[in-house]
Amino acid sequence: MKAFQFVEWQQPGQLRDVPVPEPGPGEVLVKVGGAGACHSDLHLLEAPAGSRSFSLPFTLGHENAGWVEKMGPGATGFAPGDPVIVYGPWGCGLCMNCRKGMENYCETPGKPSPGGLGGTDGGMAEYLLVPATRYLIPLGDLDPREAAPLSDAGLTSYHAVKRSVHLLGPGSTAVVIGAGGLGQMAIQVLNALSGATTVVAVDTSEDKLKIAKTMGADEVLISGDDAVTRIKDITKGQGAELVLDLVGVNPTLTMAAQVARVLGHLTIVGVGNASLPVNFSSPPHECAVASPFWGTIPELIEVISLAQTGKIRMLVEHFALDDAAHAYHLLHDGKIQGRAVITPND
Ligand code: NAD
Ligand code: ZN
Ligand code: ZN
C-alpha cells in the first residue's frame, strides 16, 4: 500500500510503498477514511536530526478515523465496516494514568507512543494498525473523513478548555490565541461547555478571524498591542479568566501573560517552544500556567458526543494521499482554512 512517511530529518515527507500490516493478537486493522495534517507534524518534520529519541522512517498522521477492516486474534467488540475514530496517544494500558483513561500521561518510560508522531506508523496510508480496541470510539453517523480531526484538534482543545471550565461563568472572558485547526475547535468547545463566557479570538490572519467569527467567537482581534488593550477594556482592566495560547511563540506568550488575570489560567498548547519569563508579578498573582498534552479516552467520547449533536464541527479540506506533501506546504504557508485531511481510500 502507499504511505506518506517521515523519512529524513528536516525534509518533506515522502510517498512510499509499504506492506499492509497484519493485526496481531488484540490488534485491529483500520481502513483509513481521513488522517488530519496537524501543525505538530510540521514542527516534527522541521526538527534537527538527533532531537528526538525515535528513528525514521514511519508513516505520518496522528488524527485518524476510518472503518474497521480486520480484527486480530482475540480482539472483540467491533466488526468489519464499523466507522471508528482512533484515540492517538497510545500508552501502556496498565499504569495508574492509563487505567484512568489518561494514556496521554502514561507513566511508562517511552510512552505514550502515538501512531504517526513518535516513530510508530500513523494513518496517512490506506490502512492503520491500532494496537488495542480500547483506542477505537464508534462514530455512529459521523463520516470518518470529516471526523478525523476530532481525535486531536478536537480532543486537545476540549481537554484544555474543560480543565478551566469552573472559571468561565457569567461575566468571564476566554481568549483563544491562534484560530487555526485547534483554535477553531476551542472556540466551539468554549461555547458548548460554557455558553456564558465571552470568547475572544486572536490571530495574525484576517481570514482565520473571519472563520473564528463564524465558529462563534464573540470578538476577533489581530494579534498585537491593540489586542492587549482591547482585551483589558473588555475585562474592565482585569484580564481574562482563561488564556489559551495555541501558538506558543514569544509574542503570543508575552501577550498571554499580559491579558491573563489574577487567579486565572494561562494554558500553553502551541509547540512554538518559546519561553515565558515567570516572576512574582508576571503572570498575574496566582495565575496558573499549564501545558496540557492531548486528552483522555473519556474526553474523546465526550468530543464525539458534541460532534454527533452538531455542537462542534471541523472545517475540513480533503486531499488525496498523493497530495499530502502539498497539503503540508499549504499548512506551512497559513493557507489551510481549518484542517487538511488526507483521504487515502478515496
Ligand atoms: P494551525 O497552523 O492550524 O493554526 C495556527 C494558527 O496560529 C494559525 O491560524 C496562525 O495564523 C496563527 N498564528 C501564528 N502566529 C500567530 C501569532 N503570532 N499570533 C496569533 N496567531 C498566530 O495549527 P494547529 O494544528 O491548530 O496547531 C496549533 C499549535 O498547537 C501547534 O504548535 C501544534 O504543534 C500544537 N499542538 C499541540 C498539541 C498538544 O497536545 N499540546 C496538540 C496538537 C497541536
Ligand atoms: Zn497534533
Ligand atoms: Zn501507562
Side-chain angles (χ1 to χ4, degrees):
M1 66 174 181
K2 285 192 294 182
F4 187 70
Q5 294 204 313
F6 184 11
V7 181
E8 223 179 306
W9 300 98
Q10 296 185 310
Q11 294 297 324
Q14 294 175 27
L15 206 56
R16 303 173 85 214
D17 275 313
V18 300
V20 175
E22 180 63 26
E27 297 177 340
V28 181
L29 189 68
V30 169
K31 182 176 177 182
V32 179
C38 175
H39 208 112
S40 296
D41 298 330
L42 289 179
H43 296 311
L44 193 63
L45 288 162
E46 288 160 9
S51 63
R52 303 289 199 282
S53 55
F54 48 81
S55 53
L56 307 181
F58 66 89
T59 304
L60 288 163
H62 58 271
E63 273 188 352
N64 305 306
W67 303 270
V68 171
E69 176 75 13
K70 188 174 180 187
M71 303 290 282
T76 57
F78 292 88
D82 284 352
V84 288
I85 192 161
V86 182
Y87 177 78
W90 300 336
C92 72
L94 291 173
C95 72
M96 183 65 98
N97 285 346
C98 280
R99 284 174 190 242
K100 290 177 184 161
M102 295 165 35
E103 300 211 16
N104 51 325
Y105 296 137
C106 177
E107 297 161 34
T108 298
K111 299 268 183 182
S113 53
L117 202 55
T120 311
D121 286 336
M124 291 196 182
E126 287 155 57
Y127 296 96
L128 166 69
L129 187 64
V130 177
T133 50
R134 68 178 183 278
Y135 299 134
L136 301 181
I137 313 297
L139 275 176
D141 290 339
L142 295 178
D143 178 350
R145 298 157 73 260
E146 304 290 328
L150 297 171
S151 74
D152 176 22
L155 175 57
T156 302
S157 304
Y158 185 81
H159 177 75
V161 169
K162 194 178 176 189
R163 61 185 296 284
S164 302
V165 87
H166 59 287
L167 301 178
L168 301 177
S172 68
T173 303
V175 176
V176 176
I177 304 175
L182 268 69
Q184 292 168 23
M185 276 283 129
I187 291 163
Q188 297 173 72
V189 168
L190 281 161
N191 281 319
L193 296 190
S194 175
T197 199
T198 297
V199 179
V200 180
V202 182
D203 204 291
T204 45
S205 153
E206 294 275 11
D207 286 349
K208 293 293 174 65
L209 291 178
K210 274 190 203 135
I211 297 166
K213 199 86 188 156
T214 68
M215 296 284 175
D218 296 297
E219 182 143 0
V220 297
L221 302 169
I222 284 286
S223 206
D225 291 344
D226 288 350
V228 174
T229 307
R230 177 67 190 145
I231 292 165
K232 285 290 176 69
D233 282 352
I234 297 169
T235 58
K236 302 184 179 66
Q238 299 303 303
E241 276 74 6
L242 171 63
V243 182
L244 287 177
D245 185 348
L246 306 173
V247 186
V249 296
N250 268 320
T252 59
L253 286 174
T254 303
M255 178 172 26
Q258 287 171 322
V259 301
R261 80 158 61 197
V262 166
L263 293 166
H265 281 181
L266 193 173
T267 305
I268 304 168
V269 178
V271 191
N273 276 332
S275 298
L276 176 68
V278 174
N279 58 40
F280 183 69
S281 47
S282 178
H285 298 305
E286 293 198 38
C287 174
V289 177
S291 56
F293 173 64
W294 223 322
T296 71
I297 295 174
E299 286 169 343
L300 182 56
I301 295 171
E302 292 171 3
V303 167
I304 297 309
S305 295
L306 282 180
Q308 283 170 337
T309 51
K311 297 198 171 72
I312 58 171
R313 78 177 166 87
M314 190 82 234
L315 180 60
V316 163
E317 295 167 55
H318 290 128
F319 292 84
L321 192 52
D322 287 348
D323 297 329
H326 179 56
Y328 280 111
H329 276 301
L330 294 175
L331 180 65
H332 178 271
D333 293 345
K335 291 188 176 140
I336 297 293
Q337 298 300 295
R339 202 57 148 186
V341 171
I342 312 302
T343 54
N345 282 291
D346 275 8

